[in-house]
Amino acid sequence: TKSYTSGEIASIIDGKGAFYVPDIQKDFSQTSMYLLNKFTKDLLPLYLEMINGSVFSEDELALYKRNMKQRYIVEHGKVNVQSHQAFTNAIFGTDSAYADLSSPKSYDALDRESIIDFYKARIERKATGVIVSGMVDDKTLADICSVFEHFKWEGNNFDDQLKIYGDSASKDKWIEVPGNENKQVSMRIGRPTVNPDHVDYMGLSLLTTVLGGYFGSRLNKVIREEKGLTYGIHAHINKLRFANFLSIHAELNANNWKEAYDSVLEIFEDLKNNPIPQQELDMVRRYVKGSLLQSVDGALSYSTYIRNSLVLDLNNARINNYINYLDTADPMVLMKLAKQYLNEKDFFKIVAGV
């Protein structure tokens, strides 16, 4: 910042037993400071200066670029990272705001001037809210307000004109990302799906859990336990502000990924043609309810829930609504949803490492 080097900032934060966490997502970025109440007045001015007074010195920026480029190269040597990038670009298109066009050359192209331009346009004075959680007494709240309340925030609105779905890839054939050793591959299939306010969303979410959302799911039982083709296979619905998609992912031996895919299709057909047994549905209900309660267990977890409600434009009562739905979920309705949403022709198909 204008007052401190990065080393000095780290020393001050560490010296107070606190830590700072930046988090960058598709739709938003956030910064968090975890600290003891008694150090609120000492650390929050520094925290505010980090957000609104960064200078991006050339020396530190050059070091950061080298480190991040090397980390990128290591991470993108992994087949699961390669399949994720290919899947993102397949489902949204390379001209989408959600596209992932990063490469090692992306770090070479970064310069201080463009970073400062972005910082001033999107970060400096642009925070849209402050969430405080934990043991917040009156004194702590007063200390927080004394730092933040007189600062002028300009806000930062979502751009509703962004292109979300661009020139997506074909669903008719596999997208293959070549590998070097040909020992392990990452298979990822998925499709766009409905938003949380859609009448089908809660049923589809429950169906996805039955399919591959917990350890006793259909995919895990057949592909992991019975056939031994993978250590784990998962299905879940990804929620973004302007899009949602269902994704199934597994890492497999290069010789058996096609067998695993055929098994996925067989499970699709079973869910489309046979109602989920009541015993299985009851077990999934209990699992989902426990997971929902865990997601809001404690101040820190609940603050994440509130944040997601704000930045992803979600109903803050969604947990209660989902719990009420779980108690009345009908196996015949779930079978109907499977027929509508689990069709091979609607899925993008990626395999990395072949």
Side-chain angles (χ1 to χ4, degrees):
T1 68
K2 296 173 183 177
S3 306
Y4 304 98
T5 66
S6 60
E8 290 170 337
I9 291 171
S11 178
I12 293 170
I13 293 175
D14 288 346
K16 300 294 185 182
F19 62 100
Y20 167 85
V21 182
D23 183 17
I24 313 299
Q25 302 291 336
K26 288 284 189 183
D27 290 303
F28 67 93
S29 63
Q30 72 169 29
T31 62
S32 302
M33 178 81 81
Y34 298 87
L35 67 157
L36 297 174
N37 295 42
K38 63 182 179 179
F39 295 132
T40 302
K41 254 190 161 177
D42 297 323
L43 290 177
L44 284 192
L46 173 61
Y47 180 46
L48 195 62
E49 184 172 336
M50 292 166 66
I51 298 169
N52 295 312
S54 293
V55 295
F56 307 101
S57 69
E58 288 284 8
D59 290 343
E60 292 188 358
L61 185 59
L63 177 61
Y64 179 80
K65 285 169 59 177
R66 283 200 303 272
N67 291 342
M68 292 303 296
K69 181 180 177 179
Q70 185 58 39
R71 182 185 299 178
Y72 180 96
I73 291 170
V74 172
E75 285 298 307
H76 280 72
K78 301 173 182 177
V79 289
N80 68 311
V81 178
Q82 295 168 5
S83 72
H84 184 271
Q85 183 178 36
F87 177 77
T88 299
N89 292 333
I91 201 167
F92 290 112
T94 54
D95 54 342
S96 165
Y98 285 138
D100 181 358
L101 305 180
S102 61
S103 72
K105 293 181 180 178
S106 302
Y107 293 95
D108 298 331
L110 283 175
D111 60 76
R112 183 171 181 268
E113 183 178 350
S114 61
I115 291 174
I116 290 176
D117 287 344
F118 180 85
Y119 170 71
K120 291 185 177 299
R122 288 290 184 178
I123 307 296
E124 186 180 17
R125 299 177 182 268
K126 296 299 191 299
T128 55
V130 178
I131 298 175
V132 182
S133 59
M135 297 181 64
V136 184
D137 55 27
D138 291 341
K139 181 182 182 305
T140 303
L141 188 60
D143 289 342
I144 293 170
C145 290
S146 70
V147 174
F148 283 98
E149 67 182 353
H150 300 301
F151 195 86
K152 184 179 178 182
W153 298 94
E154 298 173 2
N156 192 355
N157 296 322
F158 282 96
D159 186 353
D160 292 333
Q161 303 303 313
L162 291 174
K163 189 173 187 179
I164 303 303
Y165 291 104
D167 298 326
S168 58
S170 170
K171 301 172 188 173
D172 298 330
K173 59 182 181 181
W174 283 85
I175 296 172
E176 297 184 352
V177 181
N180 296 322
E181 298 182 0
N182 295 323
K183 292 181 180 179
Q184 181 171 300
V185 301
S186 173
M187 179 183 73
R188 200 178 295 265
I189 67 173
R191 54 156 297 166
T193 189
V194 294
N195 294 326
D197 57 355
H198 193 280
V199 66
D200 289 343
Y201 181 81
M202 287 189 285
L204 182 59
S205 180
L206 180 58
L207 178 65
T208 302
T209 304
V210 172
L211 173 65
Y214 73 115
F215 197 70
S217 69
R218 297 287 184 93
L219 291 173
N220 255 304
K221 280 185 177 179
V222 173
I223 297 174
R224 180 183 184 275
E225 295 178 15
E226 295 177 11
K227 298 187 177 182
L229 300 178
T230 181
Y231 285 113
I233 182 167
H234 312 281
H236 60 280
I237 295 177
N238 296 71
K239 291 184 284 291
L240 301 170
R241 185 176 177 91
F242 301 110
N244 292 270
F245 58 91
L246 190 158
S247 173
I248 298 170
H249 172 245
E251 292 185 27
L252 304 140
N253 186 287
N255 296 321
N256 62 27
W257 68 268
K258 291 182 180 179
E259 181 184 353
Y261 178 67
D262 289 340
S263 297
V264 172
L265 297 183
E266 290 172 4
I267 294 169
F268 282 3
E269 291 303 311
D270 186 31
L271 290 170
K272 287 192 285 186
N273 293 290
N274 299 292
I276 299 167
Q278 194 62 48
Q279 184 179 3
E280 180 182 5
L281 189 56
D282 289 341
M283 179 175 63
V284 175
R285 280 193 184 109
R286 292 193 295 270
Y287 168 80
V288 172
K289 286 181 179 180
S291 298
L292 291 173
L293 292 174
Q294 188 177 31
S295 71
V296 290
D297 181 23
L300 298 180
S301 296
Y302 192 66
S303 70
T304 300
Y305 178 83
I306 295 296
R307 180 209 66 191
N308 289 340
S309 298
L310 294 172
V311 300
L312 300 180
D313 195 25
L314 299 173
N315 186 341
N316 207 36
R318 62 189 181 277
I319 281 186
N320 291 334
N321 295 339
Y322 194 21
I323 288 175
N324 291 334
Y325 168 79
L326 289 171
D327 291 333
T328 60
D330 184 342
M332 298 304 294
V333 173
L334 295 176
M335 187 171 70
K336 181 180 177 182
L337 290 173
K339 291 178 179 178
Q340 183 174 352
Y341 293 102
L342 299 183
N343 295 302
E344 181 186 14
K345 65 181 179 61
D346 298 323
F347 279 71
F348 294 93
K349 298 171 278 289
I350 315 293
V351 60
V354 291

